[in-house]
Amino acid sequence: MKTFDFLRPPDPAAAIAAQGRSKTSQQGAEIRFLAGGTTLVDLMKLNVETPGQLVDINRLPLDKIERLPDGGLKIGATVRNSALAQHDVVKKDYACLSQAILAGASAQLRNRATTAGNLLQRTRCVYFRDPAFPCNKRVPGSGCPAIEGHNRNLAILGTSTHCIANNPSDMCVALAALEAVVHIEGSKGKRAVPIADFHLLPGETPERETVLEPGDLITHVTLPPPSPGAKSLYLKLRDRASYEFALASAAVILVMEGGRVQRVRFAMGGIGTKPWRSSEAEAALEGQAPEAATFQRAAEIILRGAKPQSENGFKVELAKRCIAHALKLAASAA
Ligand SMILES: Cc1cc2nc3c(=O)[nH]c(=O)nc-3n(C[C@H](O)[C@H](O)[C@H](O)COP(=O)(O)OP(=O)(O)OC[C@H]3O[C@@H](n4cnc5c(N)ncnc54)[C@H](O)[C@@H]3O)c2cc1C
Ligand code: SF4
């Protein structure tokens, strides 16, 4: 492992000034931000990540959850996953987000993990996490052994011939359904990126996972105001009931009116190279009665184009049942 300096900035302004001058954020960059460390330090111990320097951002004033004037919510980049999941407003108005976070990792990990770190957590593909193997995401152009190897947990949607790794985050699935916006500050100023555009498909460049550029710091995430009367939930299917990543998961936000679906947003995890959403599947539900056949139709649409690998064909049916059941649960609660 390369040596690195652990930098603890004397004040927040110094940290922001430092990131303006430095190559940061994109994987492989020389200087990296350290938040909870539960992804980055983990991967450094495996020699998968070898940053030259770390900048500890934990003392930046980015740890607040605040109501916005429009009724939405502003979530600071260093808000701990546990604090976000247990926040009264989140539990009441954005239940799928609270449930998604609590379905992930362990209490100890959630106490360390942060909003921005969770957005940037990396795949659990076994070849990515072991430098003894080639991996296009870790070493571009070296190959993808997962395509003909162990791929039971990997993606069936959004894959390419270069990478089939899935996005492992539970929180990001809820953020996708909630249509969150990621706020970024970098050397070119500030910008706001809808979550749907934040993560990139692997295509020919699987090493590039998000739109972050060198020097970009995520400052916060915003959520739109909650829809009145909405029922929201997160359903996670996995090999065991705790401390396990999703095989398929679904976040649903559903509003019923007059016995019909008035508005619905949903996203799926465990199956895509990024949190997966289909506006076509949502449109197929709106205005319809909450019946099994309608939910099944939406499930067929969101799974359209799925490309199972040698070990994960079961995910197609599992994912359909996951979203159909999540929709049924939300409709019956509404
Ligand atoms: C054993 C184990 C089990 C887990 N199980 C689950 C699970 O079931 N579901 C799930 O969703 N997750 C799971 N996780 C992943 C966990 O949620 C993530 O590790 C965590 O959310 C990462 O947050 P962090 O603050 O620790 O990130 P860090 O490790 O500090 O950072 C991660 C990445 O983000 C970058 N970064 C951090 N903050 C910023 C910022 N503000 N701006 C720009 N870049 C930044 C870092 O440089 C790094 O590249 C598990 C992790 C472990 C170790
Ligand atoms: S699926 Fe992606 S992360 Fe896994 S070995 Fe292939 S290129 Fe690497």
Side-chain angles (χ1 to χ4, degrees):
M1 186 186 291
K2 281 207 289 187
T3 56
F4 61 92
D5 299 323
F6 191 91
L7 300 181
R8 187 170 277 278
D11 61 49
I16 288 173
Q19 61 89 19
R21 291 194 306 272
S22 311
K23 291 205 302 173
T24 52
S25 296
Q26 275 305 135
Q27 285 77 30
E30 192 66 4
I31 297 178
R32 304 286 295 282
F33 298 128
L34 179 72
T38 62
T39 286
L40 187 53
V41 175
D42 198 20
L43 292 174
M44 287 170 67
K45 286 191 267 184
L46 296 170
N47 226 11
V48 171
E49 300 253 26
T50 54
Q53 294 184 327
L54 298 182
V55 175
D56 182 351
I57 60 169
N58 285 289
R59 289 166 66 199
L60 294 176
L62 301 174
D63 60 349
K64 304 276 184 303
I65 302 174
E66 298 160 278
R67 269 283 192 205
L68 293 168
D70 70 355
L73 203 65
K74 176 179 175 182
I75 305 161
T78 60
V79 168
R80 304 290 156 182
N81 285 182
S82 48
L84 184 56
Q86 300 297 352
H87 193 273
D88 286 345
V89 172
V90 177
K91 285 200 284 189
K92 179 170 156 289
D93 291 341
Y94 305 98
C96 66
L97 178 57
S98 175
Q99 292 170 15
I101 292 171
L102 293 176
S106 64
Q108 291 91 337
L109 283 159
R110 295 192 296 268
N111 283 340
R112 287 299 305 160
T114 62
T115 310
N118 200 324
L119 277 165
L120 297 169
Q121 67 171 283
R122 308 198 69 189
T123 184
R124 312 302 287 195
C125 172
V126 291
Y127 304 104
F128 171 74
R129 290 173 64 83
D130 187 345
F133 288 93
C135 166
N136 284 330
K137 189 182 277 298
R138 190 167 24 75
V139 183
S142 62
C144 175
I147 289 174
E148 294 186 348
H150 297 298
N151 51 46
R152 180 176 182 272
N153 293 340
L154 301 187
I156 55 173
L157 286 163
T159 56
S160 74
T161 54
H162 298 266
C163 181
I164 57 169
N166 58 341
N167 183 303
S169 172
D170 292 296
M171 183 193 83
C172 291
V173 180
L175 291 183
L178 289 164
E179 300 181 310
V181 175
V182 182
H183 297 260
I184 299 162
E185 198 162 335
S187 53
K188 293 182 194 149
K190 298 181 183 182
R191 66 194 203 280
V193 180
I195 183 95
D197 302 326
F198 181 75
H199 295 101
L200 301 174
L201 294 173
E204 295 184 358
T205 54
E207 73 280 8
R208 193 166 157 72
E209 296 170 349
T210 69
V211 297
L212 288 185
E213 297 292 342
D216 280 346
L217 176 79
I218 296 173
T219 54
H220 59 282
V221 170
T222 51
L223 302 180
S227 303
K231 287 293 166 206
S232 116
L233 60 85
Y234 186 70
L235 178 64
K236 179 174 179 178
L237 307 182
R238 46 188 159 169
D239 282 331
R240 56 183 180 188
S242 77
Y243 210 47
E244 186 54 277
F245 290 88
L247 290 169
S249 71
V252 174
I253 302 130
L254 182 136
V255 183
M256 296 289 293
E257 193 178 77
R260 293 188 174 266
V261 177
Q262 192 227 342
R263 183 178 192 274
V264 66
R265 294 288 179 272
F266 61 89
M268 296 199 70
I271 56 170
T273 51
K274 59 187 269 186
W276 208 257
R277 221 183 122 197
S278 162
S279 49
E280 193 190 340
E282 291 166 357
L285 283 171
E286 288 178 354
Q288 304 298 315
E291 291 164 356
T294 316
F295 299 149
Q296 183 63 27
R297 194 159 57 245
E300 298 289 342
I301 294 172
I302 195 166
L303 268 297
R304 196 185 283 157
K307 274 196 194 156
Q309 307 296 329
S310 56
E311 295 180 342
N312 65 7
F314 72 96
K315 278 194 177 188
V316 178
E317 183 59 25
L318 186 75
K320 286 180 188 171
R321 293 185 188 196
C322 178
I323 184 59
H325 192 60
L327 289 165
K328 182 180 161 193
L329 290 174
S332 53

